[in-house]
Amino acid sequence: MDKIKNTNVDEINSQPQRKRIFSGVQPSGIITLGNYIGAIKNWVELQKDYDCLYCVVDLHAITVRQVPSELRRRTFEALALYIACGIDPEKSTVFVQSHVPAHAELAWILGCYTGFGELSRMTQFKDKSRKHSDNINSGLFTYPVLMASDILLYQANLVPVGIDQKQHIELTRDVALRFNSVYGDVFTIPEPYIKETGMKINSLTDPTKKMSKSDPNPSSYIAIIESRDDTVRKIKRAVTDSDSTVKYAPGKDGINNLMSIYSCFTGKTFDEIEKEFDGKGYGDFKAAVGETCADGLDGIRNEYARLIKDKAYIESVMKSGAEKAYYLSRKTLSKVYRKVGFYNV
Ligand code: TYM
């Protein structure tokens, strides 16, 4: 318990009980526009009404082989990027998963309440085992149990994510309901928070696929911290169809994707976007999307450049975030230990 000696426990306990949010990004690659639009942008909006915990999930990242020095650097950078995107560490708890041991401890217990068959049905496991056929480790298989642990540990009500994580949240709910049916109301049953527009931003080079930070082709994604010129150029070269009218329609994956990106930055509906570009071609549209996206990311990029130099500040946020999360996590974990029958001295 000495770990929480600097935490103002009274302050945490006296905060009015707002609904809680948990979410995270893996520091397994360059954080992309997909992560921003599908998750982080929504996190920023939610922090004014909810009690939020935003985590850099490094335990998840090692399910795929990582270079240790790069993982360490990316963990630091991801946390700085959360803040640069607008997460306020005074309002939200920002921390690194491996700094709070209860994530792994609860995951073990939840694993004993999760079926092999349930985990075998996870589409992300199937995709990742195909991609990393030389390293299909058991962590990759039990990954959704660790994710359930992340969420249930903090009694989260809502989990803001992109659509690719929906299945994992459904599993989390199933495991929580199963546990509660045996032991009483131990866990809050979480709901996914997924915005229709932006829930799946696609690759710029193959718009039938999700934009991914692990894609080896940097032209396929916009990195939040790349240069303005790179962003404009990549969007200009984004793969589209042979039509030329800016219209949201089935099969026009490239244009639909760019319209979603444009909509997320401007707040315009697809109808409004179609009207705006009526009579104009893809060239004009792509130029506008590129500029708008670069404008939307400019502030984040400047703030990130400033923050990344301030190691002392980022580390202080990491430490106080871990202390708060540690305290909250222990409350749930000790309840779970008691419920399952572990001996306490
Ligand atoms: P990760 O690191 O793959 O992605 C982080 C978040 O970004 C969303 N996302 C996208 N949204 C829209 N379009 C895209 N192209 C796109 N790519 C990624 C993801 O849906 C996610 O919300 N397992 C999670 C991390 C995690 C987590 C958690 C999330 C671990 N524990 C607990 C929520 C709660 C993952 O791999 O996300």
Side-chain angles (χ1 to χ4, degrees):
M1 287 303 269
D2 59 332
K3 268 208 163 172
I4 61 164
K5 64 179 179 296
N6 296 325
T7 305
N8 189 341
V9 166
D10 291 339
E11 191 191 313
I12 296 176
N13 282 333
S14 70
Q15 280 162 3
Q17 198 49 57
R18 292 192 295 172
K19 288 209 166 174
R20 180 154 302 147
I21 286 202
F22 183 94
S23 198
V25 174
Q26 293 190 60
S28 54
I30 294 168
I31 295 185
T32 70
L33 185 67
N35 300 129
Y36 178 63
I37 292 180
I40 304 172
K41 191 166 178 286
N42 298 331
W43 300 359
V44 175
E45 289 161 16
L46 291 164
Q47 63 182 342
K48 55 179 187 317
D49 298 318
Y50 293 87
D51 175 18
C52 303
L53 292 113
Y54 297 129
C55 184
V56 179
V57 290
D58 54 349
L59 298 179
H60 280 89
I62 63 161
T63 52
V64 170
R65 206 62 86 226
Q66 303 289 334
V67 176
S69 56
E70 283 179 19
L71 179 62
R72 221 177 329 272
R73 176 177 51 77
R74 279 203 234 97
T75 300
F76 179 86
E77 290 172 353
L79 198 125
L81 193 59
Y82 285 6
I83 303 171
C85 286
I87 302 300
D88 178 354
E90 298 291 319
K91 286 194 193 135
S92 301
T93 305
V94 187
F95 71 106
V96 175
Q97 190 183 28
S98 64
H99 294 174
V100 181
H103 290 252
E105 294 171 284
L106 181 61
W108 170 256
I109 295 173
L110 296 179
C112 301
Y113 296 81
T114 309
F116 184 88
E118 285 177 304
L119 291 175
S120 313
R121 286 193 289 278
M122 295 293 114
T123 52
Q124 199 168 72
F125 170 69
K126 291 184 207 163
D127 289 350
K128 286 207 176 172
S129 349
R130 234 173 279 127
K131 255 194 228 158
H132 304 280
S133 53
D134 56 333
N135 181 23
I136 308 178
N137 59 72
S138 62
L140 198 59
F141 186 65
T142 55
Y143 173 115
V145 180
L146 181 59
M147 186 161 158
S149 163
D150 299 339
I151 297 165
L152 301 179
L153 205 46
Y154 300 100
Q155 309 289 353
N157 304 91
L158 273 189
V159 187
V161 285
I163 193 73
D164 61 321
Q165 297 301 318
K166 189 166 179 245
Q167 197 185 26
H168 291 158
I169 298 173
E170 280 160 1
L171 178 80
T172 301
R173 289 170 56 86
D174 291 345
V175 173
L177 285 166
R178 185 171 305 139
F179 197 92
N180 284 358
S181 74
V182 182
Y183 300 106
D185 268 350
V186 177
F187 295 124
T188 302
I189 308 301
E191 302 272 350
Y193 177 95
I194 300 172
K195 274 202 177 166
E196 179 80 23
T197 309
M199 66 185 183
K200 183 176 176 227
I201 299 298
N202 286 340
S203 154
L204 299 176
T205 49
D206 178 356
T208 60
K209 281 194 337 209
K210 185 186 79 159
M211 181 182 285
S212 165
K213 56 173 129 60
S214 54
D215 196 315
N217 179 4
S219 300
S220 71
Y221 57 77
I222 304 292
I224 303 186
I225 52 163
E226 68 190 19
S227 74
R228 185 184 175 93
D229 288 352
D230 281 346
T231 298
V232 172
R233 181 181 44 80
K234 287 182 195 178
I235 292 185
K236 206 173 270 175
R237 294 196 192 146
V239 169
T240 42
D241 53 82
S242 56
D243 190 15
S244 62
T245 43
V246 177
K247 208 163 176 42
Y248 196 94
K252 285 165 67 86
D253 300 303
I255 283 298
N256 296 347
N257 192 37
L258 296 182
M259 284 178 77
S260 297
I261 295 173
Y262 193 64
S263 168
C264 288
F265 281 110
T266 59
K268 291 180 183 166
T269 63
F270 291 148
D271 274 354
E272 287 167 340
I273 299 171
E274 286 172 9
K275 280 201 193 96
E276 183 181 346
F277 292 94
D278 188 23
K280 295 182 185 158
Y282 283 178
D284 286 341
F285 178 57
K286 285 178 171 180
V289 178
E291 292 297 329
T292 306
C293 181
D295 286 348
L297 297 175
D298 259 354
I300 296 174
R301 289 169 177 168
N302 293 338
E303 185 59 3
Y304 177 79
R306 188 184 71 76
L307 282 168
I308 203 69
K309 291 189 219 124
D310 198 346
K311 191 171 179 211
Y313 171 67
I314 299 299
E315 288 190 348
S316 74
V317 170
M318 261 183 202
K319 278 193 189 141
S320 67
E323 282 163 5
K324 279 193 225 160
Y326 181 88
Y327 173 74
L328 295 171
S329 71
R330 251 32 233 183
K331 274 179 139 179
T332 301
L333 194 71
S334 50
K335 186 167 186 188
V336 169
Y337 274 25
R338 210 173 47 249
K339 292 285 184 180
V340 297
F342 292 166
Y343 198 92
N344 187 22
V345 276

